[in-house]
Amino acid sequence: MITVQKAKSIIDQYLNQLDSEVVLINESSGRIINHNLEATFPFPRFDNSAMDGFAVRSIDTVGASQEHPASLKVIGISSAGVPSDLTLNPGECIQCMTGASIPNGADAVVMVEHTSGFTDNDTVHVFEETHSGKHIRKMGEEIQKGDALIVKGTRITPSEIGVLASFGHRKFSVVKKPRIAIFGTGDELIEPGEILDDGQVYNSNLYIFADLVKNLGGHVTMKNVVKDSKESLNSFLSKALKTSDVIISSGGVSMGRFDYVRDVYIGLGVKEHFWKVAQKPGKPLFFGTKKGTLIFGLPGNPISAYIGFMKWVWPALESIMGIPKSKPITGLLTEPFPRENCKYRYLFGQAWFENEKLLCKPTGKIGSHMLSSSLSANCILGSEQGENPLQPGDKININVLPWKHIK
Ligand code: AMP
Ligand code: MG
């Protein structure tokens, strides 16, 4: 049995980033961008109007008011997408719409509300004095050419999609989705929808795994419940080893008579890097590799499988997908936390803010078979080994479940 730290450092040695592929912007949601993106032009790309109004020479409006408007000659229109190539001479102005390019010679825009309005007349009355730059969005005021826009490893959300589109990217390069095979083993397992017989339980773990993979942005390529027999395991795994970047299993890696998963892996040429980690739940964790494939064998108790996935598999998947590590956070316990003498202890927990402090507590029902303890959880709490339980007020590590929020 090795420590949690040692196990992490072993896994780290085998994490290689996945290749890239080009995707269309419409299909890029949730993908991970694999390069730093820079602005290829300034933004705004040209001086343009922030208002519907008149582009003027501000000097021509000096002293203008409701009682003494400035009379300007209207020489044309600049509208969004149809710029005017006219140049303003003294006493002239141009109707200029929001987003339209500012004509040569103009240095301000007067809102149409402060004029006699858009008409077909040759002249407009301006009721307000303006100053140079007013209502003009200057070229490059938001972004200069070459500015960093999106950092490598960022997940694409509506904000990234918007910025990519603003810079004209119809397709771009992202990290390939990891191809993931998941399986559960157990003769007692049946699928939801079937009728339970004596001693049977519904397979829940593979549904958890599949949803976690989906959440993270991986691709489940194989998914099956496999019988506790060497033949069934062999046939699933020999195919999975050829077609997957990662294989994740639940069950069959403990000390039971019918726990064949480890033997079968080894028989198929998987190199075992460790089996058994000083942690609770999930001690009989198996980690191995074959060529580029990472193999995680998690025990079958639903909480061991779920927490094991979050603590071991999720960070490994993030790493091969090029997602930067999230920073560890700590909170203050409001209830005791049961530490273990010689094992790292994880429990589902609740974390919340109160009086500007981050507080937390385990969710209760702490048995590793008690899946309902995850229902009210928004995090996993984790503590190093220790003689006595941690007490209210003590600090503890918090790992927020990425799809939950701390309120
Ligand atoms: P094992 O790790 O195979 O010894 O399984 C430990 C416990 O987890 C047993 O009570 C199994 O019935 C249960 N179990 C194993 N696999 C699953 C699964 N896919 N879904 C729900 N429970 C499971
Ligand atoms: Mg079993």
Side-chain angles (χ1 to χ4, degrees):
M1 190 156 76
I2 58 171
T3 64
V4 162
Q5 288 73 15
K6 178 79 183 155
K8 280 187 183 147
S9 74
I10 292 174
I11 293 176
D12 280 349
Q13 295 167 32
Y14 297 94
L15 303 178
N16 300 315
Q17 199 179 318
L18 296 164
D19 293 339
S20 309
E21 64 183 345
V22 171
V23 287
L24 290 169
I25 187 165
N26 286 336
E27 286 151 22
S28 67
S29 178
R31 302 299 296 270
I32 309 298
I33 196 146
N34 81 329
H35 56 288
N36 291 325
L37 192 90
E38 289 178 359
T40 45
F41 49 79
F43 212 84
R45 207 162 57 80
F46 49 87
D47 289 1
N48 69 82
S49 178
M51 293 290 168
D52 292 319
F54 289 84
V56 300
R57 295 158 21 100
S58 57
I59 197 166
D60 292 343
T61 67
V62 171
S65 67
Q66 199 71 35
E67 295 74 34
H68 302 288
S71 270
L72 300 179
K73 185 176 173 204
V74 184
I75 61 164
I77 300 184
S78 179
S79 61
V82 189
S84 163
D85 56 3
L86 297 171
T87 299
L88 296 194
N89 290 310
E92 293 179 344
C93 70
I94 282 183
Q95 295 182 16
C96 192
M97 308 307 142
T98 304
S101 140
I102 302 295
N104 290 329
D107 70 342
V109 170
V110 179
M111 287 165 70
V112 64
E113 292 88 329
H114 298 144
T115 69
S116 51
F118 293 135
T119 64
D120 292 332
N121 297 345
D122 290 348
T123 307
V124 66
H125 295 309
V126 173
F127 301 125
E128 176 185 84
E129 178 172 325
T130 187
H131 61 81
S132 185
K134 183 83 174 171
H135 297 318
I136 291 182
R137 303 165 176 161
K138 294 297 283 180
M139 175 174 126
E141 73 175 13
E142 181 192 348
I143 298 164
Q144 300 279 315
K145 182 175 175 184
D147 276 358
L149 290 177
I150 301 175
V151 185
K152 180 178 172 179
T154 303
R155 191 180 288 278
I156 295 175
T157 72
S159 309
E160 283 73 29
I161 289 192
V163 169
L164 282 154
S166 305
F167 282 88
H169 298 284
R170 194 175 82 89
K171 47 188 181 174
F172 44 84
S173 174
V174 296
V175 180
K176 273 192 172 167
K177 287 187 178 191
R179 296 164 304 160
I180 300 179
I182 55 182
F183 73 95
T185 148
D187 289 346
E188 73 282 26
L189 301 173
I190 62 161
E191 288 297 296
E194 292 174 9
I195 311 276
L196 283 170
D197 211 341
D198 281 352
Q200 292 185 322
V201 294
Y202 286 121
N203 155 40
S204 56
N205 296 351
L206 291 200
Y207 292 89
I208 300 175
F209 286 4
D211 198 48
L212 290 172
V213 169
K214 187 171 158 206
N215 244 286
L216 190 58
H219 178 41
V220 175
T221 45
M222 288 176 72
K223 171 172 169 261
N224 232 340
V225 170
V226 181
K227 289 283 169 211
D228 283 324
S229 87
K230 291 195 174 173
E231 296 70 44
S232 325
L233 286 163
N234 249 312
S235 97
F236 181 92
L237 284 177
S238 45
K239 178 160 180 228
L241 279 166
K242 289 191 197 112
T243 54
S244 322
D245 300 305
V246 184
I247 301 176
I248 309 160
S249 63
S250 112
V253 279
S254 307
M255 302 298 291
R257 272 191 66 185
F258 309 106
D259 288 346
Y260 299 128
V261 169
R262 184 170 167 248
D263 291 348
V264 172
Y265 278 139
I266 293 170
L268 285 168
V270 170
K271 170 131 185 46
E272 175 179 285
H273 300 298
F274 62 77
W275 178 52
K276 292 190 182 168
V277 176
Q279 62 175 358
K280 186 175 173 178
K283 183 178 85 172
L285 171 69
F286 172 94
F287 174 66
T289 53
K290 183 170 182 192
K291 296 195 181 134
T293 306
L294 306 172
I295 295 127
F296 292 90
L298 301 166
N301 269 313
I303 289 292
S304 316
Y306 192 170
I307 289 186
F309 191 114
M310 291 313 298
K311 296 308 300 186
W312 298 98
V313 184
W314 186 283
L317 291 177
E318 281 193 332
S319 171
I320 63 173
M321 292 170 78
I323 302 170
K325 274 201 173 70
S326 38
K327 293 208 172 68
I329 54 172
T330 55
L332 301 176
L333 283 165
T334 62
E335 287 180 14
F337 182 93
R339 281 192 297 183
E340 288 288 307
N341 266 337
C342 51
K343 287 185 206 153
Y344 204 98
R345 181 66 159 126
Y346 298 111
L347 285 173
F348 275 113
Q350 286 163 357
W352 68 97
F353 287 107
E354 202 172 300
N355 299 327
E356 293 172 26
K357 283 190 182 136
L358 181 55
L359 305 180
C360 59
K361 63 177 184 188
T363 51
K365 296 189 183 170
I366 62 178
S368 62
H369 54 297
M370 298 179 175
L371 188 54
S372 64
S373 73
S374 66
L375 284 176
S376 57
N378 62 358
C379 63
I380 295 170
L381 304 176
S383 167
E384 296 283 354
Q385 64 198 56
E387 297 262 304
N388 303 307
L390 291 175
Q391 292 304 321
D394 286 347
K395 267 190 178 173
I396 191 160
N397 295 328
I398 296 182
N399 194 188
V400 179
L401 298 171
W403 56 93
K404 295 272 188 177
H405 300 283
I406 300 183
K407 292 193 177 140

